[in-house]
Amino acid sequence: VQPPEKPLQAEEWNKLREDFQSPEIFEEVMLNNMIRCNSPVDVAKSLLTQLAKRNGDIAYNVLVKYLTLCVRQGQVSEILDVYDIMKARFKILESGAYNLLIRGLSNSNQWRMALTVLEEVKKMMIPSRTSYESCIKAASRHQEMKLAFELYNEMLAKDVVPTLDVLQSFFDFSRGMKGAELQKELFGILLYLRENQIYPHKTFMRSIKLWFESLPGGNWRGHLTKIKDSGQCPVCNHQLEDSNLTEEEYSNLSERIIKDVIHGTDTFRKTTPEELEAFQTFVENRLPFDIVIDGLNVSHIKSRRMQCENLFDAVNSLAKENARLLVLGRKHMLMNSSNWKTEIMKEMQNKADFFFAENISEDDAFLLYATLRSGKHCRFVTRDFLRDHKACLSDTLTRHLFRKWQRGHQIVLKKKLFLCFSQQPAFRYDCVVQTTGDTWHIPYKDVFEEKYSYQVPRKWLCIHQK
């Protein structure tokens, strides 16, 4: 149904409705097409008027579609009218309608109304990320940074994860603004990046650099650089934090992981207590290992090859330095099949210890246990980010130590013509945002990545006071 270009009278709408094959959904289909074609609001309004005359009221989902069109076109008075109608007719709205209202109002001169709607939402549910961020951006645009940060901190307190986009907007809108409190809040965002091992992309990094350089009387200068292998910054000569954990940190971490992750409730969902016990006995009798490999994960690195060939290349490459290897496999690998050849599996078992778990087991817990029990030198190979286990670690310090340990011990597989391996990071320094007070070092990526990645960036922004 092609939407009309100008408002129609009731009889014209009725005629179109009668000609339509399913008259009962005519209004919904028509409004969907109006949204698609971005039709003028008054055309949609004439449809709603006719509908109200015929039925005496307008259904909720039809109002939401009309609201979508009004928000898209920034029709503030219409948005407010729809809001009044909805409030009068429905006790509560669902989150989609609230998101629309907040988005539409926050982009207008009535932006404070968006805050009123947000307060209403809070009485019933945790507001969505988009609702919070629309209000934060509206407050920032109007230079109300204190309000913007109140909303941001409230959002974090409710475990609503901010997008990099809104974090970047804080730096953009605060450029050139004075105030110790504001500066403290922005430093807080940088520490949030550190805490969560988030690497800003290039445009976000530039916003941070420009903000520092715009601070009145701050004398900050930013330079893009690469850190030397020794961990020294070539720009300011500052030595970055060491990536190694102290003995005490390491033993605290391994105790906590073995307690929280391995014996915690999450493991037994995918493995049995008997299997876990058999695995622990197997490991304790063969300690220590130098490298622990997630066999199934590695076997998928190149899709066009047999899985056992991928694993075979990995084992060969890593066994070169006479390293003691443990491969975590699955029982189905022992069955001769198109992907798993018995003779290749036998050859691999001469070069590494293998533990074959049930086909439904969870490898990560086994991987962590064997690596941590082997000692500080032991590294592990997987293409996973081990994100689930970070969640099991209940306190911030342990989570920070876990990520730091991971950054220094996870071997990353590089897909090249032939499988070749490089440990990344083989850095002696820790690859996270860090500060000494008069210097900041911020690792960044060239492009935005929605997915968390254990691949550590090589590029850094050094900011120091002259």
Side-chain angles (χ1 to χ4, degrees):
V1 193
Q2 195 55 33
E5 286 172 18
K6 57 185 201 318
L8 301 183
Q9 297 302 320
E11 55 274 15
E12 295 173 289
W13 279 122
N14 285 334
K15 173 86 176 75
L16 279 177
R17 190 173 194 271
E18 282 158 20
D19 294 344
F20 186 64
Q21 63 214 35
S22 314
E24 69 284 358
I25 56 164
F26 170 73
E27 283 80 13
E28 279 195 52
V29 174
M30 181 55 83
L31 278 162
N32 282 339
N33 288 340
M34 286 180 179
I35 293 168
R36 207 186 64 236
C37 304
N38 204 16
S39 300
V41 162
D42 55 355
V43 178
K45 201 173 182 178
S46 75
L47 174 64
L48 262 58
T49 311
Q50 181 271 337
L51 186 60
K53 274 182 192 159
R54 200 181 71 237
N55 293 355
D57 68 1
I58 298 167
Y60 180 84
N61 55 342
V62 172
L63 278 171
V64 172
K65 288 183 195 303
Y66 178 62
L67 181 60
T68 307
L69 194 62
C70 297
V71 169
R72 179 174 292 182
Q73 297 181 14
Q75 302 277 355
V76 186
S77 60
E78 287 300 311
I79 294 170
L80 290 168
D81 286 351
V82 176
Y83 182 37
D84 288 339
I85 294 168
M86 289 179 121
K87 257 199 321 197
R89 285 206 27 224
F90 310 104
K91 258 207 172 76
I92 54 170
L93 315 181
E94 38 75 59
S95 60
Y98 283 126
N99 280 347
L100 276 171
L101 286 162
I102 290 172
R103 194 170 87 220
L105 293 168
S106 63
N107 284 327
S108 75
N109 54 359
Q110 297 286 324
W111 66 277
R112 287 191 185 277
M113 271 294 294
L115 299 172
T116 313
V117 180
L118 188 72
E119 286 308 312
E120 246 179 78
V121 177
K122 282 187 218 168
K123 289 174 193 158
M124 292 163 287
M125 57 181 113
I126 292 178
S128 70
R129 170 158 82 181
T130 23
S131 291
Y132 267 121
E133 296 197 347
S134 297
C135 291
I136 288 171
K137 284 186 174 174
S140 304
R141 265 197 301 276
H142 293 87
Q143 304 282 282
E144 300 226 7
M145 299 313 293
K146 189 169 185 292
L147 172 60
F149 273 108
E150 275 167 17
L151 291 166
Y152 164 70
N153 289 318
E154 186 183 295
M155 181 179 175
L156 290 185
K158 290 183 174 161
D159 284 331
V160 181
V161 179
T163 58
L164 290 194
D165 180 49
V166 86
L167 297 181
Q168 183 182 338
S169 76
F170 278 115
F171 289 91
D172 290 337
F173 287 119
S174 305
R175 212 170 287 166
M177 287 172 83
K178 273 196 167 111
E181 197 49 46
L182 175 66
Q183 202 167 311
K184 194 172 145 214
E185 290 282 15
L186 285 148
F187 287 165
I189 291 181
L190 295 175
L191 296 173
Y192 173 82
L193 297 180
R194 171 189 169 90
E195 178 62 44
N196 293 283
Q197 193 183 334
I198 297 168
Y199 303 121
H201 48 84
K202 201 183 264 174
T203 46
F204 184 5
M205 175 276 295
R206 286 205 184 107
S207 296
I208 296 170
K209 179 178 183 290
L210 290 170
W211 173 73
F212 268 103
E213 293 176 344
S214 77
L215 281 174
N219 288 331
W220 290 96
R221 275 290 157 266
H223 296 273
L224 308 187
T225 186
K226 285 190 175 181
I227 303 296
K228 294 176 184 170
D229 290 345
S230 63
Q232 191 183 43
C233 169
V235 179
C236 65
N237 296 324
H238 173 70
Q239 185 67 33
L240 264 57
E241 293 171 34
D242 194 322
S243 65
N244 275 326
L245 303 186
T246 64
E247 291 297 338
E248 191 185 353
E249 284 174 335
Y250 182 79
S251 69
N252 285 346
L253 177 70
S254 44
E255 264 171 47
R256 280 302 297 277
I257 287 188
I258 287 166
K259 187 163 140 283
D260 285 11
V261 177
I262 316 278
H263 299 303
T265 49
D266 77 323
T267 318
F268 295 128
R269 275 192 239 129
K270 291 184 182 162
T271 181
T272 60
E274 294 76 30
E275 185 178 53
L276 192 63
E277 201 176 312
F279 174 69
Q280 286 174 299
T281 310
F282 175 90
V283 169
E284 297 301 323
N285 290 337
R286 291 168 178 78
L287 284 173
F289 297 103
D290 298 316
I291 299 172
V292 182
I293 301 165
D294 180 343
L296 196 60
N297 183 287
V298 169
S299 73
H300 287 289
I301 188 163
K302 282 192 173 177
S303 51
R304 292 203 182 94
R305 304 179 72 209
M306 267 196 289
Q307 288 175 20
C308 63
E309 284 184 333
N310 284 333
L311 185 56
F312 184 69
D313 284 351
V315 167
N316 270 347
S317 170
L318 293 163
K320 273 186 188 135
E321 310 140 23
N322 292 326
R324 292 205 56 226
L325 309 182
L326 167 63
V327 180
L328 302 175
R330 296 285 170 78
K331 288 190 172 159
H332 72 77
M333 295 177 177
L334 293 168
M335 317 274 281
N336 202 28
S337 68
S338 59
N339 260 316
W340 298 98
K341 298 291 176 215
T342 310
E343 62 277 14
I344 298 182
M345 290 304 291
K346 278 202 176 118
E347 200 176 329
M348 272 195 270
Q349 284 167 277
N350 294 331
K351 299 185 176 194
D353 280 300
F354 271 74
F355 181 85
F356 295 99
E358 289 300 334
N359 294 328
I360 51 159
S361 297
E362 176 57 82
D363 289 355
D364 288 358
F366 290 178
L367 184 82
L368 291 174
Y369 182 85
T371 310
L372 286 161
R373 284 293 293 123
S374 292
K376 260 173 86 171
H377 74 289
C378 183
R379 295 172 299 166
F380 63 92
V381 185
T382 177
R383 293 182 301 150
D384 282 350
F385 192 61
L386 305 180
R387 202 152 164 65
D388 299 349
H389 297 297
K390 180 175 165 259
C392 307
L393 302 167
S394 40
D395 68 293
T396 328
L397 179 66
T398 314
R399 279 204 294 267
H400 172 71
L401 290 179
F402 176 64
R403 282 279 169 251
K404 186 173 179 178
W405 172 76
Q406 182 184 1
R407 287 190 293 271
H409 289 77
Q410 185 158 1
I411 296 178
V412 175
L413 302 168
K414 286 286 180 45
K415 284 193 218 185
K416 291 197 178 153
L417 217 49
F418 300 102
L419 263 186
C420 88
F421 296 84
S422 65
Q423 187 202 357
Q424 189 186 351
F427 301 140
R428 306 216 327 243
Y429 54 91
D430 196 10
C431 208
V432 275
V433 172
Q434 36 191 285
T435 180
T436 58
D438 57 358
T439 68
W440 282 87
H441 288 88
I442 299 166
Y444 68 92
K445 298 215 158 180
D446 280 331
V447 289
F448 168 67
E449 281 176 5
E450 180 61 67
K451 232 166 116 332
Y452 275 77
S453 161
Y454 54 73
Q455 298 237 344
V456 173
R458 300 287 178 137
K459 296 179 173 182
W460 289 73
L461 168 65
C462 159
I463 300 169
H464 60 104
Q465 280 183 307
K466 287 198 300 190

